[in-house]
């Protein structure tokens, strides 16, 4: 896995948008539609509880949140509350990729590719 500003590569596929890596290792686009409503409040589209709704169905042992190349993606209070129910790791996306590559437990990840 690799990343630079504006993209992330997972399983030799390059994505130029935020992604979710699911428990079964499938990759989907992160839909920011509902979280975008809070952009004015946070100065950037934050990670919100809407982005984490899939966790109820998947129940990973650990959730990784890549907060962008410079670690600037904000996280809402509600999302922090949800993440506190899991073993979670929140740090810049490049650091998350290193941790994912070493992870042996079932995991899910949300990776922000910009900021």
């Amino acid at each position: 896995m690799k990343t630079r500003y504006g993209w992330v590569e997972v399983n030799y596929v390059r994505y130029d948008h935020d992604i979710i890596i699911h428990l079964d290792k499938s990759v989907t686009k992160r839909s920011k539609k509902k979280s975008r409503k809070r952009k004015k409040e946070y100065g950037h589209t934050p990670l919100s509880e809407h982005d984490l709704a899939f966790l109820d169905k998947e129940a990973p042992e650990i959730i990784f949140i890549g907060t962008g190349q410079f670690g600037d993606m904000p996280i809402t209070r509600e999302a922090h509350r949800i993440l506190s129910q899991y073993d979670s790791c929140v740090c810049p996306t490049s650091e998350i990729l290193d941790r994912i590559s070493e992870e042996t437990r079932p995991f899910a990840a949300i990776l922000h590719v910009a900021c």
Side-chain angles (χ1 to χ4, degrees):
M1 289 189 272
K2 313 186 247 191
T3 188
R4 294 281 185 270
Y5 187 87
W7 60 268
V8 64
E9 186 177 290
V10 177
N11 297 327
Y12 305 103
V13 177
R14 187 172 285 195
Y15 301 91
D16 61 356
H17 50 75
D18 294 3
I19 63 169
I20 299 173
I21 302 174
H22 296 275
L23 197 61
D24 66 1
K25 305 296 186 252
S26 65
V27 177
T28 59
K29 182 176 183 178
R30 173 187 168 217
S31 174
K32 298 189 223 179
K33 188 174 183 177
K34 291 181 180 179
S35 297
R36 199 169 279 130
K37 296 173 185 175
R38 310 230 12 221
K39 183 176 183 175
K40 188 173 182 178
E41 178 183 352
Y42 284 88
H44 184 76
T45 302
L47 181 77
S48 75
E49 66 278 8
H50 304 293
D51 299 302
L52 302 173
F54 74 98
L55 294 175
D56 287 338
K57 293 177 185 168
E58 296 188 21
E61 285 188 35
I62 183 168
I63 175 82
F64 292 99
I65 306 296
T67 57
Q69 302 306 308
F70 309 109
D72 293 337
M73 181 181 68
I75 301 174
T76 66
R77 285 183 293 275
E78 297 86 355
H80 273 295
R81 274 191 284 256
I82 293 167
L83 290 172
S84 71
Q85 298 170 19
Y86 294 88
D87 187 2
S88 60
C89 179
V90 178
C91 56
T93 301
S94 60
E95 292 178 35
I96 288 294
L97 296 183
D98 292 338
R99 293 174 189 232
I100 285 174
S101 67
E102 298 173 0
E103 187 57 57
T104 58
R105 296 172 289 176
F107 70 86
I110 297 176
L111 304 177
H112 181 54
V113 299
C115 58

